[in-house]
Amino acid sequence: MKRLVILGGGYGGIKLLYGLINQHLPEDLEIIVVDKNPYHSMKTEFYTIVAGTSADTDVRSAFPTNDHVKYVFAEVNAIDIENQQLTFKDKSDPVTYDYLVIGIGCEDNYHGIEGAEAFTESVQTFSKARHAGLAVGNLKAYGKVSIVGAGLSGIEVASEVRESRPDLNIRLLDRGASVLSAFDPKVQAYVADWFIRNDVDVLHHANVEYVEKDGVCNNGVCYVNDVTIWTAGVQPHHLVRELPFEKDEQEKIVVNNFYQVPTQPNVYVIGDCASSEFSPSGQLAGQQGEQLAEVLHDIFHNKEPKKPKEIRLRGTLGSLGKSDGFGSMFQKSLTGLLPRLAKSGVLWLHKRH
């Protein structure tokens, strides 16, 4: 009996799983999916949980049932490469593997800033997004919210919270000279104008020196604050950073064309933990999962796997509340209702696989 363990049921893991079970699998193959949640969650939509504009059930879906698949819902303590097993924090029995796919995503990078981890909210996990949502939702009228980081996550959190709570004072701290510096000037200007029109205070050239329980100190000025939300960068999951494999400058594991670890060919890495020319995204992880499904299908049928095709991302879409948005699709910049509808459409398709 061969055992494939998929660590992480996110965008990469779920696409890999469906890619395998939708094809003929050998009778002697067992698939075990390990995730701390008993459902697939859509991380790119966690900003709606923070703002209280979506219910949990809107941004999660059930894992599929299949005779080849079993699930272990627990938090992993360590990836034991030497003994080919996963150990768990709740002291339950280890799960051994013949093949391992690592797709556990990323976590916040606090860049060594004092107080950032202790005194900020996060959108990186479902439980943390819920915690942030309670903090924002429980604020009294005219409470103060600061969002550190004006990338895609920070923009979506700020705009969704503004639409949800018009009474709040919202401040967005942007390290650069313009929000969304990776987009073209048309998109940058559109989003900047949206924040002006909707009374979100954007501070450019931010340099957060430390964070306190009730404030953020930036460029020598300390702003009194009720809730601080951190969206200022991510890094691979700490379990991955601890592994003895070659990594790039961002601590992502270097893999070959088949998503294998060269020195450990029965270990595969996809998503935010795998070194790539592209920035982390659910779209990237999903495409890698689909490609790895083809690779493993060949391996499980004793065939020489074909080299996956070059990844081609379709673009990026972002929301500004429920009826406005921005994006870049097929090298064309979009603003307004159209990209927001497209983003909703992508979510609808993903939930229905």
Side-chain angles (χ1 to χ4, degrees):
M1 179 71 74
K2 302 174 187 174
R3 176 178 285 179
L4 166 67
V5 173
I6 302 173
L7 175 54
Y11 291 104
I14 198 72
K15 290 290 187 179
L16 166 62
L17 181 60
Y18 272 102
L20 289 172
I21 65 177
N22 285 338
Q23 302 185 72
H24 173 70
L25 294 174
E27 290 301 320
D28 64 345
L29 175 67
E30 179 185 38
I31 301 173
I32 296 182
V33 178
V34 178
D35 198 284
K36 64 181 180 181
N37 293 320
Y39 44 77
H40 164 66
S41 54
M42 296 150 208
K43 186 175 180 179
T44 58
E45 305 301 312
F46 283 177
Y47 68 93
T48 64
I49 300 298
V50 175
T53 54
S54 290
D56 285 7
T57 51
D58 294 334
V59 295
R60 73 185 194 210
S61 60
F63 285 119
T65 57
N66 184 276
D67 291 341
H68 288 273
V69 183
K70 296 180 180 178
Y71 294 93
V72 174
F73 300 124
E75 191 167 355
V76 174
N77 182 60
I79 303 170
D80 184 347
I81 297 298
E82 183 177 349
N83 296 305
Q84 296 197 166
Q85 65 180 15
L86 306 179
T87 59
F88 299 94
K89 290 188 175 181
D90 63 1
K91 308 300 182 183
S92 58
D93 292 337
V95 170
T96 59
Y97 63 84
D98 299 300
Y99 304 89
L100 173 66
V101 177
I102 301 173
I104 47 178
C106 58
E107 56 191 19
D108 289 300
N109 186 347
Y110 297 102
H111 310 288
I113 295 174
E114 182 182 352
E117 183 172 7
F119 300 122
T120 65
E121 302 290 343
S122 171
V123 296
Q124 291 304 317
T125 69
F126 219 139
S127 60
K128 289 182 178 180
R130 287 193 192 101
H131 192 275
L134 285 173
V136 172
N138 286 337
L139 285 177
K140 295 180 180 179
Y142 314 115
K144 298 179 176 64
V145 178
S146 285
I147 297 148
V148 181
L152 182 60
S153 292
I155 295 294
E156 292 191 313
V157 169
S159 58
E160 196 81 3
V161 172
R162 163 51 74 231
E163 191 166 278
S164 173
R165 290 289 304 271
D167 60 291
L168 296 179
N169 296 287
I170 302 174
R171 179 182 296 113
L172 182 63
L173 280 69
D174 177 18
R175 185 174 60 180
S178 173
V179 295
L180 297 172
S181 58
F183 288 77
D184 78 9
K186 171 188 173 182
V187 172
Q188 294 177 37
Y190 187 88
V191 174
D193 181 65
W194 191 97
F195 283 133
I196 291 171
R197 288 186 288 107
N198 289 275
D199 196 26
V200 174
D201 187 16
V202 181
L203 301 181
H204 296 295
H205 303 293
N207 179 31
V208 175
E209 293 148 321
Y210 59 94
V211 182
E212 297 178 329
K213 184 178 180 180
D214 56 358
V216 176
C217 294
N218 172 61
N219 285 323
V221 179
C222 292
Y223 298 95
V224 176
N225 205 46
D226 296 305
V227 175
T228 304
I229 302 172
W230 191 267
T231 63
V234 295
Q235 59 187 339
H237 195 283
H238 66 272
L239 292 176
V240 167
R241 303 202 307 273
E242 294 165 2
L243 291 174
F245 299 143
E246 181 186 358
K247 303 182 183 73
D248 64 15
E249 65 279 1
Q250 296 175 320
E251 297 192 83
K252 298 178 183 180
I253 295 175
V254 175
V255 295
N256 63 18
N257 291 325
F258 301 94
Y259 302 108
Q260 290 172 299
V261 177
T263 58
Q264 199 82 29
N266 67 327
V267 177
Y268 301 79
V269 187
I270 55 176
D272 301 347
C273 298
S275 182
S276 172
E277 63 180 297
F278 301 105
S279 299
S281 70
Q283 182 184 171
L284 174 62
Q287 286 195 32
Q288 291 175 337
E290 290 173 347
Q291 291 187 343
L292 182 54
E294 297 296 330
V295 169
L296 290 175
H297 182 268
D298 287 340
I299 289 174
F300 295 150
H301 286 86
N302 300 311
K303 297 179 182 179
E304 187 71 24
K306 301 181 183 67
K307 179 182 174 181
K309 296 180 180 179
E310 181 181 352
I311 291 284
R312 293 188 180 277
L313 300 179
R314 294 179 289 274
T316 303
L317 295 168
S319 72
L320 295 168
K322 296 299 184 186
S323 58
D324 208 341
F326 59 91
S328 174
M329 294 291 289
F330 305 108
Q331 299 181 328
K332 181 177 177 62
S333 295
L334 303 168
T335 56
L337 180 60
L338 180 60
R340 187 64 185 90
L341 292 174
K343 189 175 191 296
S344 296
V346 169
L347 175 63
W348 186 90
L349 288 171
H350 178 78
K351 290 175 71 173
R352 287 150 185 81
H353 309 292

